[in-house]
C-alpha cells in the first residue's frame, strides 16, 4: 500500500521476534474507505431485511380500514339492488334503475376483492427475485468491506518470523510508493551458502549431503547440508574466491546451515567449502 511512513519500530541490525511490529503507514485513505464500505453494507443489509417482511403496520391498517368500508358499501349496494329488483314487478321502480343498482352492487364487490388482494400483497414479503437481488447486494457490500479492511491492515506490518533487520529504506515522514519495500528482513532459516563445484565432481553430490563452511573469524567449521544443485553448468564466474581456478565449467550448489549456526554467517562473506568428514561406522 502507498502512504506516508508514520511509524518505524526497528532499525538496521535489530533482531526481531515473529509478530513484533515493524512499521505503520498513514492509512487515513484506507480508514475513510472502510467507513464508507461499512455504511454501504449497513444500507444493503437494511434493504434486504426490509424486503423479507410485508409493509408497515400502519399501511396494513389503512388497507384493512378501506376493506371494511368497501364491504359495508358492497352489502348496502347488494341490499339496494335486491330491493329494486323486487319492485320492478310492482312497477314501482323502472327496470333501468334496477339494472343500475345491480351494476353498482357488482362494482362494490369488485372493490372488495381488489382491497382483499391488496391486503394479502401488503402482508407478504417481496418477490423471491427481489429478495435474492437484495441478498446478493448485501454479500457484495460485505466482500467490499472485507477488502477495504484488508487494505487498511496492510498499512501496519509485523515480522512474519524471527529475523534480523538487514536494512531500512525510508525515514519517518517519507512517502512510500505502492509495492515498495520499507525494510528487508533476513531470517536465519533463509541464510545459505552458494558455491561452485567443478563438473568433474558434481556427479558425486546430491541434496542432503553434509558439507563444512569455513570463513575468516567464524571459528569452528559450520555444518551445512546441500539443498540445491543447479541443473545447468556455467563458466567460472569472473570473480570467485578460490585458491585455484583451473576448473572452467562449474555447477552452482547451495547449502543451508542449521538455525543455530546461521547467524555466524553474514551476506557476502567469502567461504571455503569442503565435504564433511565421514562418521565412523558409516
Amino acid at each position: 500500500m502507498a502512504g506516508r511512513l508514520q511509524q518505524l519500530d526497528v532499525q538496521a541490525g535489530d533482531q526481531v521476534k515473529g509478530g513484533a511490529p515493524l512499521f505503520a503507514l498513514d492509512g487515513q485513505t484506507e480508514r475513510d474507505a472502510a467507513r464508507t464500505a461499512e455504511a454501504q453494507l449497513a444500507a444493503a443489509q437494511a434493504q434486504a431485511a426490509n424486503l423479507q417482511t410485508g409493509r408497515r403496520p400502519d399501511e396494513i391498517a389503512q388497507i384493512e380500514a378501506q376493506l371494511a368500508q368497501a364491504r359495508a358499501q358492497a352489502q348496502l349496494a347488494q341490499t339496494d339492488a335486491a330491493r329494486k329488483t323486487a319492485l320492478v314487478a310492482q312497477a314501482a321502480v323502472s327496470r333501468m334503475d334496477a339494472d343500475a343498482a345491480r351494476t353498482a352492487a357488482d362494482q362494490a364487490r369488485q372493490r372488495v376483492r381488489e382491497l382483499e388482494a391488496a391486503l394479502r400483497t401488503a402482508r407478504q414479503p417481496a418477490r423471491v427475485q427481489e429478495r435474492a437481488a437484495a441478498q446478493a447486494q448485501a454479500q457484495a457490500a460485505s466482500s467490499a468491506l472485507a477488502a477495504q479492511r484488508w487494505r487498511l491492515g496492510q498499512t501496519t506490518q509485523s515480522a512474519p518470523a524471527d529475523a534480523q533487520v538487514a536494512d531500512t529504506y525510508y525515514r519517518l515522514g517519507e512517502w512510500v510508493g505502492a509495492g515498495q519495500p520499507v525494510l528487508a528482513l533476513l531470517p536465519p532459516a533463509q541464510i545459505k551458502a552458494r558455491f561452485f563445484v567443478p563438473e568433474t565432481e558434481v556427479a558425486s553430490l546430491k541434496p542432503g549431503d553434509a558439507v563444512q563452511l569455513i570463513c575468516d573469524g567464524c571459528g569452528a567449521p559450520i555444518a551445512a547440508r546441500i539443498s540445491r544443485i543447479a541443473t545447468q553448468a556455467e563458466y567460472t564466474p569472473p570473480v570467485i574466491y578460490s585458491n585455484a581456478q583451473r576448473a572452467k565449467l562449474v555447477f552452482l550448489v547451495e547449502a543451508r546451515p542449521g538455525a543455530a549456526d546461521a547467524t555466524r554467517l553474514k551476506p557476502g562473506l567469502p567461504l571455503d567449502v569442503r565435504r564433511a568428514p565421514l562418521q565412523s561406522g558409516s
Side-chain angles (χ1 to χ4, degrees):
M1 309 304 299
R4 197 169 303 281
L5 185 60
Q6 190 175 51
Q7 179 179 333
L8 184 62
D9 300 285
V10 296
Q11 297 297 327
D14 289 352
Q15 297 289 337
V16 295
K17 293 291 185 180
L22 296 177
F23 67 89
L25 304 178
D26 177 18
Q28 186 60 47
T29 301
E30 287 73 21
R31 284 191 292 271
D32 292 342
R35 283 193 290 268
T36 300
E38 288 174 354
Q40 292 173 343
L41 175 59
Q45 289 176 335
Q47 177 67 16
N50 180 61
L51 294 178
Q52 296 295 329
T53 60
R55 300 175 69 175
R56 292 179 298 178
D58 289 344
E59 293 175 329
I60 293 177
Q62 180 182 10
I63 298 175
E64 289 175 340
Q66 293 174 348
L67 177 58
Q69 182 181 4
R71 284 172 175 168
Q73 292 176 347
Q75 183 62 37
L76 179 61
Q78 182 66 28
T79 302
D80 183 60
R83 182 179 60 83
K84 289 184 177 179
T85 300
L87 293 176
V88 170
Q90 302 175 11
V93 174
S94 67
R95 188 173 298 276
M96 183 180 296
D97 290 340
D99 291 342
R102 286 192 295 271
T103 300
D106 290 340
Q107 291 175 344
R109 285 193 296 269
Q110 292 172 1
R111 175 60 175 168
V112 169
R113 288 193 290 270
E114 176 186 0
L115 291 173
E116 287 174 344
L119 182 60
R120 287 193 299 270
T121 301
R123 287 173 174 170
Q124 292 176 353
R127 292 181 300 174
V128 175
Q129 293 84 351
E130 291 178 339
R131 285 180 286 165
Q135 288 291 344
Q137 290 177 350
Q139 292 175 356
S142 178
S143 298
L145 175 58
Q148 289 298 337
R149 286 176 174 171
W150 178 85
R151 291 171 62 88
L152 179 59
Q154 293 302 298
T155 61
T156 302
Q157 292 294 324
S158 301
D162 295 353
Q164 180 184 26
V165 180
D167 201 359
T168 59
Y169 306 122
Y170 291 90
R171 291 175 293 184
L172 289 177
E174 291 185 331
W175 180 263
V176 180
Q180 297 300 313
V182 175
L183 51 87
L185 296 178
L186 181 59
Q190 298 300 322
I191 295 177
K192 59 187 178 184
R194 292 162 52 91
F195 54 97
F196 296 87
V197 175
E199 52 90 16
T200 56
E201 298 183 23
V202 70
S204 64
L205 299 177
K206 63 181 182 300
D209 283 354
V211 296
Q212 289 183 336
L213 311 178
I214 303 169
C215 58
D216 295 336
C218 293
I222 298 173
R225 290 194 176 273
I226 294 176
S227 59
R228 173 179 175 257
I229 301 175
T231 57
Q232 293 184 344
E234 56 186 288
Y235 287 102
T236 303
V239 178
I240 185 171
Y241 294 93
S242 175
N243 293 328
Q245 299 188 41
R246 290 176 300 177
K248 295 299 182 181
L249 201 59
V250 294
F251 284 79
L252 172 66
V253 179
E254 295 180 352
R256 294 182 182 271
D261 293 324
T263 54
R264 296 165 58 187
L265 299 176
K266 306 300 179 185
L269 185 67
L271 295 172
D272 289 327
V273 184
R274 68 188 182 192
R275 292 176 184 268
L278 296 176
Q279 300 294 328
S280 60
S282 61

